[in-house]
Amino acid sequence: HNQKEFSDLSFSNKELEFLKWLCDNLKYEEIAKKMHTSLRSVEHLREDLFEKLSVNTWTALVLYAVRNGIVTK
């Protein structure tokens, strides 16, 4: 797997919000409540990010977000 370069990608506000909540260690159900959306919508965001970033786990999403300064923890 080669992760895509951060500078080559653009993220929607919803994707960024999802990543921030994910990095706060919230479950998908909790993220859906925080984002005022359905669990299904959150799962779609996750799947879109998996594809966009060429990863396939939530852990990889968190690592990507931290390494690229999307979240600051």
Side-chain angles (χ1 to χ4, degrees), residues 10-67:
S10 64
F11 296 91
S12 71
N13 288 338
K14 284 189 177 194
E15 288 172 333
L16 294 173
E17 183 181 0
F18 170 78
L19 286 170
K20 288 175 183 173
W21 290 125
L22 190 63
C23 290
D24 279 343
N25 202 30
L26 295 184
K27 295 177 182 170
Y28 296 128
E29 294 86 358
E30 295 169 316
I31 294 171
K33 285 182 185 174
K34 293 274 190 187
M35 293 180 69
H36 307 287
T37 192
S38 68
L39 177 58
R40 188 168 182 90
S41 293
V42 166
E43 290 170 343
H44 282 294
L45 277 172
R46 179 193 63 205
E47 295 303 318
D48 290 346
L49 284 165
F50 282 169
E51 186 173 333
K52 184 182 280 191
L53 301 177
S54 301
V55 299
N56 59 9
T57 66
W58 70 267
T59 308
L61 287 177
V62 168
L63 285 172
Y64 186 93
V66 171
R67 288 179 178 155

